[in-house]
Amino acid sequence: LAQVLAQLKWRDRDGVAVMKKVVLFAQDDHAAAECLVPLTSNYRVIGVGHGATTSIFARRCVELGFAFANALEDQLVAGAVERFQPDVTVLVPDLTGDASAVTNASASARSYVVKVGQKMTGAPWPEFAPIWLKQDSQVSICREGEEVGAEVVPVGKEETALSLRAKHALVAARLLKTLLEEGEGALPK
């Protein structure tokens, strides 16, 4: 906890405008790492690994000078988030259907969940359903279970789950940037 808090203190600089504080919970390395890009200016960030493996996300957080904590250490994450007092918490993307870690992370922060693809019985990832059903996919941002913005992601004939995941990551980053810089009203519907 002391190491995470020291990183946060290091990010404070005299003379810099107040930055939005964001906690980004990662359930997928690629999408979450891509979503860090729009946060590189004017944001203070704690990245939280909240999935099976988030080593790429952890490395990207460190490279960008952001703090990182692993959700396997619940007390560490809870203490860091409480002390940090974020303006916004975001789960990128929701792969498990359980967004409680984000919605319970901070009482004062607005909590958002990025959803990608579609759930389907027998599909190991949300990218498989749009491919198998031969239909376009979608990335959406939700608050309190309600969609506040979304963008359609075209699915090509030769699409793979990995290529669609990469497309989802880029769209998620773009939507997150719009949300943070312009607000919910600026998100595409």
Side-chain angles (χ1 to χ4, degrees), residues 92-162:
V92 181
D94 178 15
L95 297 177
T96 64
D98 179 14
S100 61
V102 175
T103 55
N104 297 333
S106 173
S108 63
R110 282 192 168 204
S111 297
Y112 295 93
V113 175
V114 174
K115 295 184 178 187
V116 299
Q118 164 182 350
K119 292 187 192 293
M120 179 181 193
T121 303
W125 294 349
E127 287 81 9
F128 281 101
I131 293 169
W132 292 346
L133 297 171
K134 296 180 171 89
Q135 62 187 32
D136 287 339
S137 189
Q138 178 175 294
V139 174
S140 58
I141 295 186
C142 302
R143 184 167 60 96
E144 298 175 4
E146 298 295 320
E147 186 177 285
V148 295
E151 188 173 319
V152 171
V153 179
V155 175
K157 285 177 125 180
E158 303 298 319
E159 200 78 63
T160 67
L162 289 175

Side-chain angles (χ1 to χ4, degrees), residues 16 21 29 45-46 62 106 133 141-142 146 150 155 161 165 178:
V16 175
K21 298 177 186 177
D29 260 348
V45 179
I46 296 179
V62 171
S106 173
L133 297 171
I141 295 186
C142 302
E146 298 295 320
V155 175
R165 183 162 281 199
T178 301

